[in-house]
Amino acid sequence: MAAASESVLLRFGNEVAKQPTLFSGPMKSRFLGVPVTSGAISWAGRKRQVDSRLRLAGVRAVAEAARVQSLSGQEPNFGMAIDTVAEEVLRGEGFSGMWKTKLVCTIGPACCSLLELERLAAGGMNVARLNMCHNSRDWHRDVIAKIKKLNEQKGFSVSVMIDTEGSQIHVVDHGAPSSLKAEEGSVWVFTSQKFEGSRPFTVRANFEGFSQGIMVGDELVIDGGMASFVVVEKMGDDLRCKCTDPGLLLPRAKMSFWRNGKLSYHGLPTLSKKDWEDIDFGVSEGIDFIAVSFVSDADSIKQLKNYLSTSSSKSVKVLAKVETLESLQNLEEIVEASDGIMVARGDLGVEVPIEQIPTVQEEITRICRQLNKPVIIASQLLESMIEYPTPTRAEVADVTEVVRQYADALMLSGESAIGSNGQKAVSVLKMVSSRMELWTREEHQQASALYSYKKLGASLADRIAEAICNSAVEMANNLGVDAIFVYTKHGEMASLLSRNRPNPPIFAFTNDRSVRMGLNLQWGVIPVLVDNLSEDMEANVLKTTQLLKTKGMVKRGCSVLVVSDIFSTSANPNAFQSIKMMTIS
């Protein structure tokens, strides 16, 4: 792998000192050049910010309608759309106020109303995840429609992801409204037979052949260790199992069988018939991402991408979930084949010793960055906030470590889907990630200089684009520019810039809505939809900067570095891409 070019070390202490504190209480000292304050997290203050954004979104929607009517004599293609949350931050704090790590929220019964979705979006949600294991397609359709409504009417830019159920064995129902407690020594029957109501000490599995190949003495693990059993008898297709590790049996809990420390059941396809039906549903509803569960190799990802290329009129990104030993064994080929990775630490922790999870997570993040694919870290980030309004200190430390590793996105699961503190959980992720990003800014120059990147470009044009993005980030960091502007039709150069984790935020201007929504997972990228991108770069820069100034989002004197992948069809064939520095006047 090629070594990254050396970078001149710059200190950003003065800029960091200008940042607003994220915790209430008086300033006490500084650490790594960043103000350290005393006091607890100010939930009330954060809630006031979100409520303010909700009001502003409504006001802006009315104002925008009036502006469109008053400008009816102008060209209709003269305009651009930027997420309303990013717009407010730019107006109030400028470029330095933009956070880099993206936030993914799982939508469930606790946050599926229009108001709750709007609160999550106002709090910083970039991607809404729909778990196809739960709820009906009509329910999912309704949620997707609400998110689109918020995007169109309130100015948000929230992407939609569906997460396939995958071919997994799980509990269908146990007849109880919530959970059952399995006590140590109790004997349970696991069956695939259909029956009405509930039976004592009986659990139904979703897959008819779930007991094939299972032997007496095999271990049955529920939901990654929520409870454990040992198989004591096979009764036809049913299993009698004795509880060895007491715990809860939740509806739709995952079941895995183990023998001598290895999975004793294999053979289920990655994508089931239901998964394909869910994928067709998602495509018809205009979703932006598909996360594929229980990926074992690159073939299923390639198959799905080939299918989408012929069945979808828009670009849909395919993410592979890393949650099995097989996926780790074939990790690099899976990353190369996919458009991104989700590290499902809960399921992965069943197959990998728990003490290895931190290093496995860091290695996956490193490989994704090498191959320029966004990576989401998921599962149990703020698990305690499902019930409690504040996180544990260990959870905050976990989130901080993910951000220090420069993962692209953090994901909430049950915290937002079924918890009573979803909005607060989003606030915690945003505050903790923002604080850690400030702390790492002073160390970033050295980390960037020592980081080695794998050369990705195959063609000369791709290698030029990659070299330009690497050099552009080095220049931006060394010169201390306020922002990077990239004008892109396909989003690739914005992704290459993000790979280098620059200090300034990246504003990606594109005229393709699919590209805009796909960039919502890229670290540090603020996608901006422009009605029309000209082949004249000077015209593009002039148009967008004037619009940003008109909206009060940039100030005179700001320095910006500009790159682009848009070429003039009549340009000199010997002309190459370049990097441009400009000062907003």
Side-chain angles (χ1 to χ4, degrees):
M1 290 184 284
S5 56
E6 293 185 0
S7 174
V8 179
L9 303 183
L10 285 181
R11 307 295 287 181
F12 283 78
N14 292 335
E15 289 299 319
V16 170
K18 298 176 184 177
Q19 300 298 320
T21 59
L22 301 174
F23 293 80
S24 63
M27 183 181 298
K28 295 295 184 184
S29 60
R30 298 174 65 85
F31 179 68
L32 292 178
V34 181
V36 177
T37 58
S38 62
I41 297 174
S42 176
W43 299 119
R46 181 62 63 175
K47 184 177 186 301
R48 285 194 294 272
Q49 290 182 21
V50 173
D51 290 343
S52 173
R53 286 172 186 162
L54 296 181
R55 291 193 297 271
L56 285 171
V59 171
R60 287 183 187 135
V62 175
E64 184 66 12
R67 186 185 71 84
V68 171
Q69 184 176 6
S70 68
L71 297 179
S72 56
Q74 296 188 17
E75 293 184 30
N77 63 347
F78 190 80
M80 68 181 184
I82 184 170
D83 182 79
T84 188
V85 178
E87 181 176 342
E88 185 193 350
V89 173
L90 286 171
R91 290 187 182 198
E93 303 174 39
F95 292 126
S96 62
M98 302 304 302
W99 68 95
K100 310 293 181 61
T101 309
K102 300 304 181 73
L103 307 181
V104 181
C105 297
T106 301
I107 308 304
C111 61
C112 62
S113 70
L114 186 65
L115 179 59
E116 290 299 324
L117 289 170
E118 186 173 357
R119 285 173 174 167
L120 291 178
M125 174 176 67
N126 302 107
V127 179
R129 169 182 174 255
L130 299 174
N131 189 345
M132 303 308 290
C133 290
H134 305 285
N135 302 305
S136 66
R137 291 199 183 105
D138 286 340
W139 184 91
H140 290 297
R141 182 181 291 109
D142 179 63
V143 171
I144 294 171
K146 289 173 181 175
I147 294 170
K148 288 183 176 180
K149 181 178 180 180
L150 290 173
N151 287 344
E152 293 169 3
Q153 297 185 2
K154 298 297 181 72
F156 295 111
S157 177
V158 177
S159 300
V160 177
M161 172 196 299
I162 64 169
D163 194 326
T164 65
E165 181 175 336
S167 296
Q168 58 178 314
I169 305 172
H170 62 75
V171 174
V172 172
D173 195 3
H174 45 49
S178 55
S179 63
L180 293 175
K181 178 70 178 295
E183 301 289 351
E184 185 174 3
S186 59
V187 177
W188 294 70
V189 174
F190 290 82
T191 180
S192 60
Q193 297 178 19
K194 296 181 180 179
F195 54 84
E196 296 295 329
S198 62
R199 295 178 183 175
F201 299 100
T202 302
V203 176
R204 182 182 159 205
N206 68 314
F207 183 60
E208 288 186 2
F210 81 102
S211 63
Q212 293 178 6
I214 303 304
M215 300 171 58
V216 172
D218 284 356
E219 183 184 17
L220 168 58
V221 178
I222 302 294
D223 240 4
M226 289 291 289
S228 298
F229 298 80
V230 61
V231 178
V232 296
E233 183 183 358
K234 291 193 68 172
M235 305 179 299
D237 293 332
D238 298 345
L239 300 175
R240 288 184 71 243
C241 303
K242 182 178 180 180
C243 181
T244 56
D245 193 5
L248 296 178
L249 296 174
L250 300 170
R252 305 192 71 82
K254 297 168 187 174
M255 302 164 57
S256 59
F257 291 92
W258 294 78
R259 183 182 307 148
N260 299 324
K262 297 181 180 180
L263 283 172
S264 57
Y265 188 93
H266 299 278
L268 291 176
T270 299
L271 291 167
S272 67
K273 179 182 177 181
K274 178 182 181 298
D275 290 335
W276 285 109
E277 292 172 350
D278 288 338
I279 287 167
D280 286 337
F281 162 78
V283 169
S284 68
E285 294 299 318
I287 51 94
D288 306 292
F289 298 95
I290 298 173
V292 182
S293 298
F294 300 102
V295 175
S296 57
D297 54 45
D299 291 342
S300 56
I301 299 297
K302 294 176 181 177
Q303 180 187 11
L304 176 55
K305 292 182 75 171
N306 288 336
Y307 176 76
L308 291 173
S309 67
T310 59
S311 63
S312 176
S313 59
K314 61 170 285 188
S315 173
V316 180
K317 301 290 187 181
V318 177
L319 309 181
K321 293 176 68 176
V322 175
E323 49 194 335
T324 65
L325 280 175
E326 289 92 340
S327 62
L328 290 179
Q329 292 164 356
N330 302 306
L331 182 61
E332 190 156 335
E333 69 174 48
I334 291 173
V335 175
E336 287 180 334
S338 69
D339 297 311
I341 294 294
M342 181 190 295
V343 184
R345 302 184 303 180
D347 290 301
L348 192 59
V350 179
E351 303 194 21
V352 176
I354 57 174
E355 70 272 14
Q356 294 181 20
I357 291 297
T359 53
V360 168
Q361 170 186 300
E362 186 166 16
E363 179 65 8
I364 296 172
T365 303
R366 185 191 68 81
I367 291 175
C368 286
R369 189 173 169 193
Q370 284 283 335
L371 298 176
N372 195 30
K373 302 296 175 71
V375 57
I376 306 168
I377 304 300
S379 304
Q380 302 169 341
L381 286 173
L382 300 174
E383 188 83 357
S384 68
M385 291 193 72
I386 293 177
E387 296 185 45
Y388 302 104
T390 56
T392 68
R393 275 49 180 172
E395 288 170 337
V396 171
D398 180 33
V399 172
T400 298
E401 177 61 15
V402 173
V403 177
R404 187 195 66 79
Q405 293 173 7
Y406 290 109
D408 291 84
L410 301 161
M411 192 181 95
L412 296 176
S413 298
E415 301 96 327
S416 56
I418 61 174
S420 55
N421 304 292
Q423 185 182 335
K424 289 182 179 179
V426 171
S427 296
V428 170
L429 289 187
K430 186 174 176 183
M431 288 190 290
V432 173
S433 60
S434 297
R435 173 57 63 92
M436 190 60 192
E437 287 164 6
L438 293 179
W439 278 348
T440 56
R441 185 172 296 178
E442 290 193 341
E443 297 178 324
H444 178 269
Q445 295 292 325
Q446 183 176 1
S448 177
L450 295 176
Y451 201 87
S452 298
Y453 291 107
K454 180 177 181 178
K455 290 184 178 179
L456 302 174
S459 66
L460 175 61
D462 289 341
R463 293 199 299 272
I464 291 173
E466 188 176 339
I468 283 179
C469 288
N470 293 344
S471 300
V473 169
E474 185 178 5
M475 286 182 61
N477 289 342
N478 291 343
L479 298 175
V481 302
D482 296 296
I484 299 174
F485 285 5
V486 55
Y487 297 82
T488 177
K489 287 191 173 181
H490 306 292
E492 183 63 20
M493 288 197 77
S495 178
L496 287 169
L497 290 166
S498 171
R499 178 198 193 195
N500 286 274
R501 303 300 193 252
N503 285 329
I506 304 163
F507 288 79
F509 299 91
T510 181
N511 59 352
D512 189 316
R513 183 191 174 280
S514 295
V515 172
R516 179 199 187 192
M517 303 309 281
L519 288 173
N520 269 336
L521 268 185
Q522 296 282 352
W523 187 95
V525 175
I526 299 92
V528 183
L529 184 65
V530 183
D531 290 337
N532 183 33
L533 282 179
S534 168
E535 291 181 352
D536 183 347
M537 271 306 303
E538 294 293 336
N540 288 333
V541 174
L542 179 62
K543 169 184 171 182
T544 51
T545 53
Q546 287 295 335
L547 281 171
L548 289 171
K549 285 171 60 179
T550 300
K551 290 174 175 284
M553 288 185 279
V554 297
K555 296 179 175 59
R556 185 169 298 175
C558 289
S559 58
V560 175
L561 186 144
V562 180
V563 296
S564 172
D565 61 14
I566 300 172
F567 296 96
S568 172
T569 55
S570 59
N572 183 341
N574 295 320
F576 290 91
Q577 292 169 297
S578 61
I579 302 172
K580 176 179 179 179
M581 280 289 302
M582 59 176 286
T583 302
I584 304 296
S585 59

